[in-house]
Amino acid sequence: MQLKGKKKGDSMKSNDYGPLFPSIPRVLHGADYNPEQWLDYPEILTEDLRMMQLTKCNVMSVGIFAWSSLEPEEGQYDFAWLAKILDDLYANGQYVFLATPSGARPAWLAQRYPDVLRVNKDRTKNTFGLRHNHCLSSPAYRHKVAKINGELARRFGHHKAVIGWHISNEYGGECHCERCQSAFRAWLQHNYQTLDRLNEAWWSTFWSHTYTNWQQIESPSTHGETMVHGMNLDWRRFVTEQTMEFMQAEIQAVRVDAPYLPVTTNFMEAFEGLDYWKMAPLLDFISWDSYPTWHEPRTEAKKASWVAMIHDMSRSMKQGKPFVLMESTPSATNWQPISKLKRPGMHLLSSLQAVAHGADSVQYFQWRKSRGSSEKFHGAVVDHVGHEHTRVFDDVREVGDALEKLSAVVGTTVDAKVALIFDWENRWAIQDAQGPRNAGIHYEQTVHAWYHALWQQGVAVDVIDQTQPLDAYSLLIAPMVYLLRPGFADKVSEFVKNGGVFVATYFSGIVDEHDLCYLGGFPGPLMDVLGIWSEEIDSLYDGETNRLHIDPSVYQGMKKSYDVIELCDLFHTKTAKVVATYSDDFYAHRPAVTLNHYHEGHAYYVGARTKQDFIDDFVSFLLQRHSVASHLNTRLPEAVSVSIRTNGRDQFIFLMNFSQKTQSIMSEQLHGRELFTAMAIKGSIILKPFGVAVVQQS
Ligand code: GAL
């Protein structure tokens, strides 16, 4: 069935971005580099330069956590070592992301200005130590950070080696000191203007929580307030905005003397504590740190698709612009429960997976293993042995060689006609909800399950939040959109009216942006477009199942019945027609899946949580029925994925085998030149275990 009406999916997005850094028309390859740990070992620093060349590394992130070496005593700067390192790196062929050092502070700073120390949710105050534990509203901290950032920019902002700012490192956490509480109250006052509005939004008559003075409001506390959902949501929004404000102050400080250098901060995967979508516009390019636990038994494909999802989200945060893989480990981490080494092939495969989904860089934590302290066993390009004759070094060299052959990919993007909603505010609200399933509501896993089906079927996906435009897409999947952000329902309605295909699931359209339930029936403002009314939701114990029944002669490719687990929506059709019904229990024969024809488009409601098999088959059915193209229009072997980067003229087909078996892919669309072997490809390709190939079509 072709989409009718206005042709969906005619993207207005660009697909030819050019290099992120005009001076480097190549894929970046590099690492976090901490020469400050080795200043007393000059021969090691010389060795580093030699070995960087062997790996074809062209970028290093320098200065992260180096504050006490840059300013050993207050106001006494020692930049000579950094100047030499930058000169040496530049002469050696490496550019630099220069970090602001705010991720960890020197001891003198904590001693002299104790208000920089964070107060935790239980109101205990930290002592000096660790990293990432500052009060972001501390005037002393802001002042000192602005000062050192400004000094760094003045001294190095025009250094030939420096191509961008690595602002701080993995922002995260929150402070509950008196100053932060006041800032929270001011934020609330600014947003609500009156206490009446705040009380209404927080539904504070519940348990007699009505506030009659702004001073009565305290931030969430382990021994105080945790149950006012509107407050929890606002606190999380505040923490994101407070972090943004701090980050902006950092950016302003470096821009005084280096106004043109692009800035980024490294995101931590799908870190729940900060709404990365809000932070993204403040950055010139997105970067993130990826640490999957590869090789857990039976989970390789799921791991791979989760990482792919975060890559796709990182690309989508800047509407398709290539991003930077700022950190990954060349071998194992040291902080996960099991530090398993990457099996042969996995380092190249996982590195190129980032590029396949839109990264124009592959970088590591860390260049050289530290000698002491907590990260001394974390994987690094150079191990304690100090030379290049190691398996890991060879793996990194292999990546360097491969990236050199991918220069033409730089600046291209992935053109997606399918969008999947993964929304932070929704996520926060779902986490907070008590009922219907406190034993595991599984929002992230559900979003991922839908992503996995698309990934396994070779479909390009943008992973977006509810604030993003929808007009570039023909299929929109929104699992568990429990909290509807302002304007989202209207956007969906327009999208479907204009011929789009929309899929929503159980537990959608329940609360507004204040976490207040919609009155008049669920799924609230999505009721018309979905054509249903959801009356109740049943929660099943772990291990319990119901089944849903579907007619495969109508819904081609589907099986007759599927297991249903955990959550079953008991809903009524209004204008929708029934696609599948429940098989068991007192709600047997009632609708489980429906389809509403809404103007020119289609809106599906999947009322029950299913296992992966239903989602896989249903996605496959949707793609067929609504003519949504997959990358190669072929059935991919299990754990094999495809991603295509394009600039509108050339196509780069990345083929990745995340299984331990040799796999072959066949497709009439697969022809061109394989970039690593220079072989001509015509209709099929064989991938070895954990193998990867890139076919260029011009
Ligand atoms: C990152 C962090 C790095 C390093 C790494 C270890 O989260 O940014 O500094 O600690 O983890 O995996």
Side-chain angles (χ1 to χ4, degrees), residues 136 142 173 183-184 186-188 190-191 233-249 273-276 278-279 282 425 428 485:
L136 293 188
R142 288 193 173 210
F184 180 44
W187 185 90
L188 292 169
H190 176 78
N191 284 306
L233 209 46
D234 278 338
W235 172 253
R236 286 176 177 278
R237 289 177 178 134
F238 164 76
V239 170
T240 293
E241 289 185 24
Q242 188 193 35
T243 308
M244 284 162 63
E245 198 188 293
F246 186 89
M247 182 173 83
Q248 239 170 335
L274 294 172
D275 185 350
Y276 285 156
K278 275 194 174 166
M279 297 172 72
L282 302 183
E425 293 204 356
W428 293 337
R485 313 270 300 260

Side-chain angles (χ1 to χ4, degrees), residues 119-121 123 173-177 179-185 187-188 192 202 217-221 225 228-243 273-274 428:
V119 173
N120 301 304
K121 198 171 179 178
R123 284 20 182 191
E174 57 195 48
C175 175
H176 296 261
C177 73
R179 227 183 3 255
C180 287
Q181 306 254 3
S182 300
F184 180 44
R185 283 179 210 116
W187 185 90
L188 292 169
Y192 289 104
W202 288 6
I217 300 170
E218 294 179 75
S219 62
S221 149
E225 192 55 79
V228 177
H229 290 171
M231 174 202 262
N232 292 344
L233 209 46
D234 278 338
W235 172 253
R236 286 176 177 278
R237 289 177 178 134
F238 164 76
V239 170
T240 293
E241 289 185 24
Q242 188 193 35
T243 308
L274 294 172
W428 293 337

Side-chain angles (χ1 to χ4, degrees), residues 321-562:
K321 182 175 177 174
F323 59 93
V324 160
L325 176 64
M326 191 60 91
E327 292 181 24
S328 59
T329 178
S331 57
T333 68
N334 68 331
W335 50 267
Q336 287 156 335
I338 306 287
S339 303
K340 201 169 178 77
L341 301 178
K342 286 182 182 170
R343 272 31 200 171
M346 183 48 98
H347 183 57
L348 181 66
L349 174 62
S350 56
S351 298
L352 294 194
Q353 185 195 24
V355 182
H357 288 267
D360 276 357
S361 94
V362 172
Q363 290 164 244
Y364 314 117
F365 178 85
Q366 49 193 334
W367 171 256
R368 182 183 279 275
K369 269 187 190 174
S370 67
R371 188 161 182 206
S373 226
S374 75
E375 287 183 332
K376 63 181 180 292
F377 295 137
H378 193 290
V381 181
V382 183
D383 212 324
H384 294 128
V385 70
H387 58 60
E388 68 269 35
H389 308 294
T390 63
R391 187 183 70 93
V392 168
F393 197 93
D394 282 346
D395 274 359
V396 171
R397 249 197 240 239
E398 192 184 16
V399 171
D401 290 341
L403 295 181
E404 203 177 44
K405 299 197 171 94
L406 294 180
S407 298
V409 173
V410 168
T412 63
T413 191
V414 176
D415 187 14
K417 299 285 180 275
V418 178
L420 177 71
I421 303 277
F422 184 22
D423 187 283
W424 256 245
E425 293 204 356
N426 180 46
R427 190 178 176 196
W428 293 337
I430 288 179
Q431 297 293 351
D432 243 10
Q434 288 165 284
R437 206 168 189 286
N438 301 335
I441 194 77
H442 301 146
Y443 172 62
E444 292 82 354
Q445 291 91 326
T446 306
V447 172
H448 177 212
W450 286 88
Y451 181 88
H452 183 79
L454 293 158
W455 176 87
Q456 183 60 73
Q457 292 176 52
V459 180
V461 188
D462 278 354
V463 179
I464 60 174
D465 82 347
Q466 291 181 37
T467 65
Q468 296 305 297
L470 301 177
D471 39 307
Y473 307 111
S474 51
L475 170 62
L476 172 69
I477 302 181
M480 298 174 76
V481 272
Y482 165 80
L483 176 148
L484 300 181
R485 313 270 300 260
F488 179 66
D490 287 345
K491 235 173 8 187
V492 169
S493 170
E494 273 306 294
F495 169 80
V496 181
K497 269 187 190 160
N498 290 329
V501 179
F502 175 56
V503 180
T505 72
Y506 52 89
F507 215 40
S508 285
I510 312 284
V511 300
D512 68 7
E513 76 269 27
H514 299 300
D515 214 337
L516 293 175
C517 290
Y518 286 111
L519 303 179
F522 303 134
L526 290 174
M527 196 180 281
D528 277 356
V529 71
L530 290 165
I532 56 135
W533 164 47
S534 157
E535 185 180 345
E536 309 179 76
I537 190 158
D538 191 21
S539 180
L540 308 190
Y541 288 101
D542 284 348
E544 264 192 317
T545 52
N546 197 324
R547 307 246 336 138
L548 65 74
H549 181 264
I550 194 164
D551 182 352
S553 68
V554 181
Y555 299 98
Q556 276 157 22
M558 305 289 300
K559 295 198 284 280
K560 254 182 157 158
S561 87
Y562 294 88

Side-chain angles (χ1 to χ4, degrees), residues 89-102:
L89 286 172
Y90 185 70
N92 200 49
Q94 286 83 42
Y95 291 90
V96 167
F97 287 132
L98 187 56
T100 66
S102 65

